[in-house]
Amino acid sequence: MKHLSDFSASDIQALARADVARALAEDVGPGDLTAALVDSSRNARARILAREAAVICGVAWVEAAVLACDPDARLTWHVTEGQRCQADQVIVEMEGNAQALLTAERTALNFMQMMSAVATKTATFVEAVVGTSAAIVDTRKTLPGLRLAQKYAVKAGGGVNHRIGLYDAVLIKENHIAAAGGVPAVLKRVAETAPQARFVEIEVETLAQLDEALASGATMVLLDNMDIPTLQEAVRRNAGRAVLESSGGVNLDTVRVLAQTGVDRISIGALTKDVKAIDFSMRFDAF
């Protein structure tokens, strides 16, 4: 499977169609009983409005939902992917079969509210570390079945994707180290078992473990739940040898101070797991 960074526009559209197909199957089942109350020959105009300021994300998913229900529907976007909108701003206008637009409504809004929430939260963290060298990075703490959509939204908000899954990169944690027989042994084992990995990262909890990892040739190190003085010392000891990532309990009150220690990356599970949906609504005008 390709990494998200290698996805083309057509790959994104295919991903959106697959996500939407599952969502519509879950929602519509054998048929939309309520939309059937509307004359099947009737057309309508509709518009999606943002009820609050946000970074817009999910354009391909909205289009996939609408076009799956009415392939002849027309959508006119007023806010592009990754662009900020204001409260009460019209995001997109559409025309098509009234039944189809009604059936697509909730699926389209569900994707946009979730993906825009991830993009907006990510952008807030990215803005908080402007002027430092730290990148804001996501994690695997995602909604089951929607990882690529959420990680796509992180990118739309200006963040950086960590590994997509267990298959594309190596993150060695405490239990891996214990099971493999120590830091030198586990790092040696990586070269034998996972030469295709995009990167190899090892987690440490103390400065002594950092020293051991660096001495064993580590090129990326996750500094787990370290306080500010310890992070500063870790950056000093590292002296640019490995990419350093800070993780654990990051919030908007702490992220800039963490970034100012000189770490290269700050990973934040809350970008994708603690998401408050952005409020959107769809309004119809039959004609």
Side-chain angles (χ1 to χ4, degrees):
M1 183 182 295
K2 290 194 294 188
H3 191 264
L4 195 56
S5 60
D6 299 322
F7 273 33
S8 65
S10 61
D11 290 329
I12 295 299
Q13 290 167 354
L15 170 64
R17 288 193 297 270
D19 286 345
V20 163
R22 294 195 307 272
L24 286 173
E26 176 182 62
D27 198 29
V28 180
D32 183 343
L33 300 180
T34 314
L37 300 173
V38 177
D39 187 333
S40 63
S41 66
R42 192 175 184 85
N43 288 331
R45 295 188 183 95
R47 59 198 180 279
I48 294 178
L49 299 95
R51 295 306 188 187
E52 56 187 305
V55 175
I56 293 300
C57 186
V59 167
W61 282 256
V62 171
E63 291 185 347
V66 172
L67 295 176
C69 297
D70 179 5
D72 296 322
R74 297 185 299 276
L75 293 88
T76 303
W77 289 91
H78 299 290
V79 183
T80 59
E81 195 85 305
Q83 185 179 5
R84 288 191 175 274
C85 72
Q86 301 304 312
D88 299 320
Q89 185 173 351
V90 174
I91 305 306
V92 60
E93 295 179 288
M94 57 193 78
E95 294 183 13
N97 178 269
Q99 280 191 3
L101 294 182
L102 289 165
T103 297
E105 175 182 1
R106 178 43 52 196
T107 293
L109 292 178
N110 281 351
F111 279 108
M112 178 156 277
Q113 71 187 22
M114 180 271 291
M115 296 179 70
S116 295
V118 172
T120 302
K121 177 172 261 189
T122 301
T124 302
F125 275 98
V126 169
E127 289 162 3
V129 301
V130 167
T132 73
S133 59
I136 299 299
V137 182
D138 59 23
T139 72
R140 287 167 50 239
K141 297 175 182 178
T142 54
L143 296 174
L146 292 173
R147 178 170 295 172
L148 288 179
Q150 287 196 289
K151 283 181 171 283
Y152 171 86
V154 167
K155 289 184 62 181
V160 174
N161 295 146
H162 204 279
R163 59 179 175 167
I164 298 300
L166 298 173
Y167 59 86
D168 68 322
V170 173
L171 176 51
I172 304 164
K173 301 176 80 74
E174 178 182 4
N175 288 338
H176 299 102
I177 295 170
V183 171
V186 75
L187 286 174
K188 180 176 183 294
R189 182 74 172 150
V190 169
E192 301 169 357
T193 63
Q196 75 277 24
R198 289 194 305 109
F199 60 79
V200 176
E201 183 172 22
I202 187 165
E203 180 184 85
V204 302
E205 296 177 337
T206 67
L207 291 172
Q209 289 176 336
L210 171 64
D211 291 340
E212 185 178 20
L214 293 173
S216 299
T219 57
M220 183 179 289
V221 181
L222 177 63
L223 308 171
D224 185 43
N225 281 298
M226 290 185 177
D227 60 24
I228 297 303
T230 306
L231 284 174
Q232 291 172 330
E233 176 61 15
V235 171
R236 188 193 70 78
R237 292 190 186 192
N238 180 56
R241 284 179 286 174
V243 173
L244 295 183
E245 177 180 326
S246 175
S247 181
V250 183
N251 58 52
L252 283 172
D253 293 327
T254 62
V255 68
R256 185 163 186 86
V257 177
L258 291 170
Q260 288 172 333
T261 64
V263 295
D264 304 290
R265 296 152 59 102
I266 301 174
S267 53
I268 306 172
L271 298 181
T272 50
K273 76 179 182 71
D274 299 332
V275 176
K276 178 184 177 298
I278 300 295
D279 188 10
F280 294 99
S281 65
M282 188 182 288
R283 291 292 178 262
F284 282 74
D285 298 308
F287 66 93

